[in-house]
Amino acid sequence: YNGGIGENATTTYFKMPNQDVYIRAVSENGLTSDWRHIPLKRSITYDKNGGYGSVPATQYAKSGDVVTVEFGTKPTKSGYSFLGWSENKTATSATYKEDGTKTFTMGSSSKTLYAVWGVKKVTGITLSPSTTSTTSNNLTLYATLLPDDAANKRVTWSSSDSSTATVNASGVVTRRKAG
């Protein structure tokens, strides 16, 4: 605002900086009026994206601020590993990772960061019994897959020599001949 009252008033528009600004108007007779511009803070929210448990608290930042993405509280999802956060709800790789990029510059609008999930794969398998010596024609094998919360725990059974023994979809081995 450039002084004046009524018809003599002129107005100047300008973009406010991204910082607090204090303005004081003083009239000819000494009256004052103070005005303060406080930049708008935008929110950064965290979405579990199909997971459960806690997520970091909402953060607030002004446009231009450098924001550090939070990793102290992470959601969980059965059969999946938490990979990090992304601005894309359907992302298959994380933009912000605990062991990688952790910061961004806040833009002019609020932002939601979505949890990114990777399928937990089987890393190990043990059979029970691990060895056998039997005269029985049938034996049932049991598979234990690790980790316990792997996403796909299906087992496909097969025999390397079906003339000696076959195995069905349930792990039941049938002896065909001595071997």
Side-chain angles (χ1 to χ4, degrees):
Y1 173 77
N2 282 335
I5 298 175
E7 293 177 11
N8 297 327
T10 59
T11 303
T12 303
Y13 294 96
F14 59 96
K15 183 177 179 182
M16 294 301 293
N18 195 28
Q19 62 191 35
D20 289 1
V21 175
Y22 298 90
I23 296 176
R24 173 169 278 181
V26 181
S27 72
E28 288 179 9
N29 63 359
L31 294 174
T32 63
S33 178
D34 292 324
W35 179 80
R36 179 179 176 197
H37 163 73
I38 302 172
L40 177 65
K41 289 190 175 186
R42 281 110 176 128
S43 62
I44 301 100
T45 56
Y46 295 83
D47 187 295
K48 300 172 200 171
N49 202 11
Y52 50 91
S54 298
V55 294
T58 299
Q59 295 172 268
Y60 298 92
K62 296 179 281 189
S63 178
D65 285 354
V66 174
V67 177
T68 300
V69 176
E70 296 291 329
F71 288 93
T73 305
K74 296 177 261 189
T76 57
K77 186 175 181 181
S78 183
Y80 294 84
S81 297
F82 174 76
L83 301 179
W85 302 101
S86 175
E87 296 169 40
N88 179 348
K89 186 173 185 158
T90 60
T92 56
S93 63
T95 307
Y96 309 106
K97 302 175 187 175
E98 196 163 15
D99 62 349
T101 301
K102 295 182 190 176
T103 61
F104 63 89
T105 301
M106 190 68 196
S108 60
S109 60
S110 293
K111 191 176 290 238
T112 299
L113 298 179
Y114 298 93
V116 179
W117 302 105
V119 174
K120 274 192 185 174
K121 296 181 179 175
V122 172
T123 58
I125 184 169
T126 57
L127 294 178
S128 173
S130 57
T131 61
T132 186
S133 176
T134 182
T135 56
S136 171
N137 285 335
N138 292 318
L139 169 72
T140 302
L141 294 174
Y142 300 94
T144 302
L145 303 171
L146 299 173
D148 288 339
D149 62 346
N152 181 354
K153 293 184 111 181
R154 286 177 286 182
V155 175
T156 302
W157 298 93
S158 64
S159 171
S160 63
D161 183 356
S162 58
S163 66
T164 301
T166 58
V167 61
N168 70 13
S170 300
V172 176
V173 178
T174 302
R175 183 171 63 159
R176 311 283 277 183
K177 67 179 183 178

